[in-house]
Amino acid sequence: ILLEKERALLLFITRRYDKAIKAFQDLCKKYPAHEAESLYYQGKIYLKIGMEREGRRKFKELVERYPNSPFTELVYEYSLLR
């Protein structure tokens, strides 16, 4: 799992957003315990590439499904800073 997660993060950091979204989706399917993190990064990516509706949808899904996740806190912080 570590390599797949690092790969997804590396794609995100290097702004290869289309591949990063796919990598986070795959990570989520293969390792459901990492779904909150995956939804967070998918939401960020969609917002960065101008797909506001999809980004907000991912953030909403994260907040509803994982209200106590540290990534949910990041969503609120990210939303305040935007």
Side-chain angles (χ1 to χ4, degrees), residues 5-62:
K5 184 176 164 182
E6 285 181 357
R7 180 180 174 274
L9 288 170
L10 181 63
L11 290 167
F12 171 74
I13 291 167
T14 58
R15 298 180 179 159
R16 296 188 303 196
Y17 296 132
D18 56 334
K19 291 182 180 188
I21 288 173
K22 175 81 169 100
F24 281 114
Q25 289 170 340
D26 291 346
L27 182 71
C28 184
K29 288 176 189 167
K30 196 168 180 183
Y31 304 101
H34 292 272
E35 185 174 23
E37 181 177 13
S38 177
L39 289 169
Y40 172 73
Y41 280 105
Q42 288 178 64
K44 267 186 93 162
I45 291 167
Y46 282 122
L47 291 176
K48 284 183 176 288
I49 62 174
M51 296 179 68
E52 189 99 6
R53 177 181 278 169
E54 190 64 22
R56 291 187 184 279
R57 191 178 70 74
K58 292 294 181 182
F59 281 170
K60 183 178 182 204
E61 184 179 351
L62 169 60

Side-chain angles (χ1 to χ4, degrees), residues 1 7 15 19-20 61 64 67 76 78 80:
I1 177 158
R7 180 180 174 274
R15 298 180 179 159
K19 291 182 180 188
E61 184 179 351
E64 289 175 353
Y76 291 123
Y78 186 74
L80 291 174

